[in-house]
Amino acid sequence: MAPETTETSRSDVVTVVGEPPWLTALAWTVLPVAGFGLAWLVKIVAVWAEDLPWAPYQEIIKFVLKVVPEPYLTVAVCAIGAVAGLVAAVLLRRAGLGVTLAGDVVTLRRGGHQQEVGRAEVASVFCAGNQLVLLRPDGGEVAREPWDLRVEPVSDAFRKHGYTWLEDDPHDADFRVWRPDEPELPAAANAVLRARELLREKFGDGDPVRELRRELAKMGIVVRDEEKTQQWRRAHPPIQKSES
């Protein structure tokens, strides 16, 4: 998918990279239809199981079938399924990462979260697995966002706007697995990493986890997640690599 570019003036070009339109259209079409069909199937199975002695929730099934006559029952069940599919489409759409480059600002959007990063804060950009990373001039990370976009449109967009795109993480070898009470880290950093680990286990990645990442950045600590483990390194000037 090519980035969507809008020329707003001679000196200001806006480039937006996100999910391809066909994927969005597919989500809005397939998920409601799938919800409709699944609900209809559940209703058919419930009617069939009404008189089976071993079927669970028989009293509830019989009560619903008695209170809501046909065809209203089928219409209501299928409508609920379609609405559930629409809700799933909305959640899926909100979970995707959108990248906007305009002037000297990079905007990263995911759901209700938005982060704006000035050009002066970005030394280079790269894709690490399924994550988009913006490196600071001091070697820290100004942003690390999960994504499911193709690399080429994003790299082309950043290069077009004058950013240095790297093919891999220049500090990959510096990361090490964090363990409780890591002796090479100050007590404050260990406490934040411990709290962050607990938050990730309970709530996954969200605003509280993002906030703790920012707290670690203030201490000069960069953190990344590999499955259930946290990996860390100290921020330091980035390794010089030629732009591809």
Side-chain angles (χ1 to χ4, degrees), residues 75-90:
V75 172
V77 169
C78 292
I80 292 172
V83 170
L86 286 172
V87 171
V90 170

PDB file of all heavy atoms in Angstrom, residues 75-90:
ATOM      1  N   VAL A  75     -34.775 -12.627  14.574  1.00  0.00           N
ATOM      2  CA  VAL A  75     -34.363 -11.259  14.217  1.00  0.00           C
ATOM      3  C   VAL A  75     -33.518 -10.643  15.332  1.00  0.00           C
ATOM      4  O   VAL A  75     -32.470 -10.041  15.083  1.00  0.00           O
ATOM      5  CB  VAL A  75     -35.593 -10.385  13.927  1.00  0.00           C
ATOM      6  CG1 VAL A  75     -35.178  -8.929  13.752  1.00  0.00           C
ATOM      7  CG2 VAL A  75     -36.315 -10.884  12.682  1.00  0.00           C
ATOM      8  N   ALA A  76     -33.970 -10.806  16.583  1.00  0.00           N
ATOM      9  CA  ALA A  76     -33.249 -10.206  17.707  1.00  0.00           C
ATOM     10  C   ALA A  76     -31.872 -10.831  17.884  1.00  0.00           C
ATOM     11  O   ALA A  76     -30.873 -10.122  18.077  1.00  0.00           O
ATOM     12  CB  ALA A  76     -34.072 -10.364  18.980  1.00  0.00           C
ATOM     13  N   VAL A  77     -31.805 -12.169  17.825  1.00  0.00           N
ATOM     14  CA  VAL A  77     -30.529 -12.857  18.013  1.00  0.00           C
ATOM     15  C   VAL A  77     -29.537 -12.470  16.920  1.00  0.00           C
ATOM     16  O   VAL A  77     -28.365 -12.165  17.187  1.00  0.00           O
ATOM     17  CB  VAL A  77     -30.741 -14.379  18.043  1.00  0.00           C
ATOM     18  CG1 VAL A  77     -29.409 -15.106  17.958  1.00  0.00           C
ATOM     19  CG2 VAL A  77     -31.479 -14.787  19.305  1.00  0.00           C
ATOM     20  N   CYS A  78     -30.000 -12.456  15.666  1.00  0.00           N
ATOM     21  CA  CYS A  78     -29.107 -12.114  14.554  1.00  0.00           C
ATOM     22  C   CYS A  78     -28.675 -10.647  14.616  1.00  0.00           C
ATOM     23  O   CYS A  78     -27.542 -10.306  14.269  1.00  0.00           O
ATOM     24  CB  CYS A  78     -29.788 -12.414  13.225  1.00  0.00           C
ATOM     25  SG  CYS A  78     -30.026 -14.194  12.928  1.00  0.00           S
ATOM     26  N   ALA A  79     -29.583  -9.782  15.063  1.00  0.00           N
ATOM     27  CA  ALA A  79     -29.226  -8.365  15.207  1.00  0.00           C
ATOM     28  C   ALA A  79     -28.149  -8.184  16.270  1.00  0.00           C
ATOM     29  O   ALA A  79     -27.197  -7.404  16.091  1.00  0.00           O
ATOM     30  CB  ALA A  79     -30.463  -7.545  15.557  1.00  0.00           C
ATOM     31  N   ILE A  80     -28.302  -8.906  17.375  1.00  0.00           N
ATOM     32  CA  ILE A  80     -27.280  -8.838  18.430  1.00  0.00           C
ATOM     33  C   ILE A  80     -25.937  -9.323  17.896  1.00  0.00           C
ATOM     34  O   ILE A  80     -24.885  -8.725  18.169  1.00  0.00           O
ATOM     35  CB  ILE A  80     -27.715  -9.667  19.647  1.00  0.00           C
ATOM     36  CG1 ILE A  80     -28.923  -9.004  20.329  1.00  0.00           C
ATOM     37  CG2 ILE A  80     -26.562  -9.816  20.640  1.00  0.00           C
ATOM     38  CD1 ILE A  80     -29.536  -9.842  21.424  1.00  0.00           C
ATOM     39  N   GLY A  81     -25.949 -10.398  17.116  1.00  0.00           N
ATOM     40  CA  GLY A  81     -24.706 -10.907  16.539  1.00  0.00           C
ATOM     41  C   GLY A  81     -24.058  -9.911  15.595  1.00  0.00           C
ATOM     42  O   GLY A  81     -22.846  -9.718  15.608  1.00  0.00           O
ATOM     43  N   ALA A  82     -24.874  -9.252  14.774  1.00  0.00           N
ATOM     44  CA  ALA A  82     -24.338  -8.263  13.834  1.00  0.00           C
ATOM     45  C   ALA A  82     -23.743  -7.070  14.574  1.00  0.00           C
ATOM     46  O   ALA A  82     -22.679  -6.559  14.210  1.00  0.00           O
ATOM     47  CB  ALA A  82     -25.430  -7.801  12.876  1.00  0.00           C
ATOM     48  N   VAL A  83     -24.419  -6.632  15.639  1.00  0.00           N
ATOM     49  CA  VAL A  83     -23.899  -5.511  16.435  1.00  0.00           C
ATOM     50  C   VAL A  83     -22.579  -5.896  17.105  1.00  0.00           C
ATOM     51  O   VAL A  83     -21.637  -5.099  17.159  1.00  0.00           O
ATOM     52  CB  VAL A  83     -24.939  -5.070  17.485  1.00  0.00           C
ATOM     53  CG1 VAL A  83     -24.319  -4.078  18.469  1.00  0.00           C
ATOM     54  CG2 VAL A  83     -26.149  -4.443  16.805  1.00  0.00           C
ATOM     55  N   ALA A  84     -22.521  -7.125  17.602  1.00  0.00           N
ATOM     56  CA  ALA A  84     -21.267  -7.597  18.207  1.00  0.00           C
ATOM     57  C   ALA A  84     -20.144  -7.600  17.180  1.00  0.00           C
ATOM     58  O   ALA A  84     -18.992  -7.258  17.495  1.00  0.00           O
ATOM     59  CB  ALA A  84     -21.454  -8.997  18.783  1.00  0.00           C
ATOM     60  N   GLY A  85     -20.451  -7.965  15.936  1.00  0.00           N
ATOM     61  CA  GLY A  85     -19.456  -7.917  14.870  1.00  0.00           C
ATOM     62  C   GLY A  85     -18.997  -6.496  14.580  1.00  0.00           C
ATOM     63  O   GLY A  85     -17.812  -6.248  14.348  1.00  0.00           O
ATOM     64  N   LEU A  86     -19.932  -5.545  14.610  1.00  0.00           N
ATOM     65  CA  LEU A  86     -19.572  -4.138  14.410  1.00  0.00           C
ATOM     66  C   LEU A  86     -18.668  -3.638  15.534  1.00  0.00           C
ATOM     67  O   LEU A  86     -17.704  -2.902  15.286  1.00  0.00           O
ATOM     68  CB  LEU A  86     -20.841  -3.278  14.330  1.00  0.00           C
ATOM     69  CG  LEU A  86     -21.656  -3.371  13.041  1.00  0.00           C
ATOM     70  CD1 LEU A  86     -22.964  -2.618  13.197  1.00  0.00           C
ATOM     71  CD2 LEU A  86     -20.853  -2.799  11.863  1.00  0.00           C
ATOM     72  N   VAL A  87     -18.987  -4.024  16.762  1.00  0.00           N
ATOM     73  CA  VAL A  87     -18.146  -3.628  17.902  1.00  0.00           C
ATOM     74  C   VAL A  87     -16.738  -4.197  17.734  1.00  0.00           C
ATOM     75  O   VAL A  87     -15.742  -3.502  17.989  1.00  0.00           O
ATOM     76  CB  VAL A  87     -18.771  -4.112  19.222  1.00  0.00           C
ATOM     77  CG1 VAL A  87     -17.802  -3.898  20.384  1.00  0.00           C
ATOM     78  CG2 VAL A  87     -20.080  -3.382  19.482  1.00  0.00           C
ATOM     79  N   ALA A  88     -16.651  -5.461  17.298  1.00  0.00           N
ATOM     80  CA  ALA A  88     -15.340  -6.068  17.075  1.00  0.00           C
ATOM     81  C   ALA A  88     -14.572  -5.322  15.989  1.00  0.00           C
ATOM     82  O   ALA A  88     -13.356  -5.128  16.096  1.00  0.00           O
ATOM     83  CB  ALA A  88     -15.505  -7.538  16.693  1.00  0.00           C
ATOM     84  N   ALA A  89     -15.276  -4.870  14.935  1.00  0.00           N
ATOM     85  CA  ALA A  89     -14.627  -4.107  13.868  1.00  0.00           C
ATOM     86  C   ALA A  89     -14.090  -2.777  14.393  1.00  0.00           C
ATOM     87  O   ALA A  89     -12.991  -2.348  14.031  1.00  0.00           O
ATOM     88  CB  ALA A  89     -15.610  -3.872  12.722  1.00  0.00           C
ATOM     89  N   VAL A  90     -14.880  -2.122  15.254  1.00  0.00           N
ATOM     90  CA  VAL A  90     -14.435  -0.848  15.840  1.00  0.00           C
ATOM     91  C   VAL A  90     -13.183  -1.052  16.681  1.00  0.00           C
ATOM     92  O   VAL A  90     -12.209  -0.296  16.587  1.00  0.00           O
ATOM     93  CB  VAL A  90     -15.554  -0.222  16.686  1.00  0.00           C
ATOM     94  CG1 VAL A  90     -15.027   0.969  17.480  1.00  0.00           C
ATOM     95  CG2 VAL A  90     -16.715   0.210  15.803  1.00  0.00           C
TER      96      VAL A  90
END
